[in-house]
Amino acid sequence: MIPLLFSDPVGDDYGLGYVYPRTALFAEAGFADLTGFEALRNGDKVVLRVRLHRYPNPSNAPHGFSLATIGIYIHTDAGGNEELPGAGFKTPAGQGWNRAYLLTGWKAEEYQPGGTVQAVPVVKNGDWLELSPNLPPGDYGYYVAVGLYDPFTPWHFRPVRPGGGTWTIDGPAGAPAAVDVLSQSQIQAYQRGVLPPVRAIQNRIPWAVLSAAMGVLFILLAFRFPRR
């Protein structure tokens, strides 16, 4: 398994120009702003790490935050569910999720497309939330989405509707409920409603470029300083 390390820009937690609910509870900025995601190997298991810009906790939730909902959907095998429940996106054809992890201030759970749900250990380590699922290492595809916490929806993503409201996000009809996603082209993902997965193989590119550059350097040095 190649470690997957991604950063996400600060301040892009507004989807398609969404306006947050009018209640004062959501007036504080940054609580649903995804800034980092990591999938690391720890022995024979994978550790999933998510970082938000801020962690206000007005409800004193046990996980140290209470205004955001985080969904991590993982493509591990062929097929899978091509709808990202809660977040409101679709996956590319044939790249659906086989396992999903829902994290709120009160619970962390693993979901499988067949309906199986089980708790997953989670800790807050500095600026990171760390999940330790029973997931073997592999080069998987990951979908990561953050929304506003809603205790009354099945996946705890607060809904979007035109005009918004005191407790509802103002946005286009049928728009995804997630306000921030991990994507190399977030605007395009929202416009199409399709969220491409991120994969560790993308992180191989800088190493390939570095290796090629080093090879060219060694060749130039060989001509510059030939052996006698």
Side-chain angles (χ1 to χ4, degrees):
M1 171 184 172
I2 300 173
L4 186 147
L5 312 170
F6 275 95
S7 296
D8 191 75
V10 174
D12 64 342
D13 52 330
Y14 290 94
L16 280 172
Y18 297 165
V19 177
Y20 280 21
R22 292 190 289 271
T23 180
L25 186 66
F26 297 120
E28 189 169 358
F31 66 86
D33 192 358
L34 176 68
T35 60
F37 174 72
E38 299 182 352
L40 308 174
R41 180 170 186 162
N42 183 14
D44 61 349
K45 296 293 186 295
V46 174
V47 174
L48 305 175
R49 305 180 78 224
V50 181
R51 184 180 62 206
L52 301 179
H53 184 49
R54 301 190 65 199
Y55 294 95
N57 191 14
S59 300
N60 294 316
H63 294 159
F65 68 104
S66 55
L67 300 181
T69 297
I70 303 168
I72 304 171
Y73 314 80
I74 306 180
H75 175 68
T76 62
D77 301 298
N81 189 339
E82 295 180 7
E83 301 283 341
L84 300 182
F89 283 89
K90 293 184 178 180
T91 74
Q95 300 183 59
W97 61 273
N98 310 97
R99 298 197 191 191
Y101 299 92
L102 183 65
L103 176 59
T104 72
W106 288 268
K107 64 182 181 180
E109 294 177 327
E110 177 188 272
Y111 289 72
Q112 296 189 21
T116 303
V117 181
Q118 62 181 1
V120 177
V122 60
V123 296
K124 190 168 183 292
N125 186 355
D127 290 335
W128 292 85
L129 298 165
E130 296 183 352
L131 286 83
S132 300
N134 187 24
L135 180 67
D139 290 331
Y140 306 135
Y142 297 88
Y143 306 92
V144 186
V146 182
L148 278 57
Y149 176 72
D150 187 336
F152 303 111
T153 59
W155 281 68
H156 302 305
F157 280 77
R158 193 163 293 274
V160 176
R161 73 180 182 196
T166 303
W167 297 98
T168 306
I169 301 171
D170 181 3
V179 298
D180 197 4
V181 294
L182 187 63
S183 175
Q184 293 187 336
S185 180
Q186 180 166 303
I187 293 176
Q188 187 177 81
Y190 273 95
Q191 289 174 340
R192 297 181 177 180
V194 177
L195 182 62
V198 295
R199 297 182 180 275
I201 191 170
Q202 296 176 10
N203 287 354
R204 294 176 182 167
I205 296 176
W207 290 105
V209 172
L210 178 61
S211 297
M214 291 297 291
V216 172
L217 178 61
F218 286 138
I219 292 173
L220 293 175
L221 290 176
F223 281 101
R224 180 66 179 82
F225 303 105
R227 292 189 178 185
R228 295 183 179 180

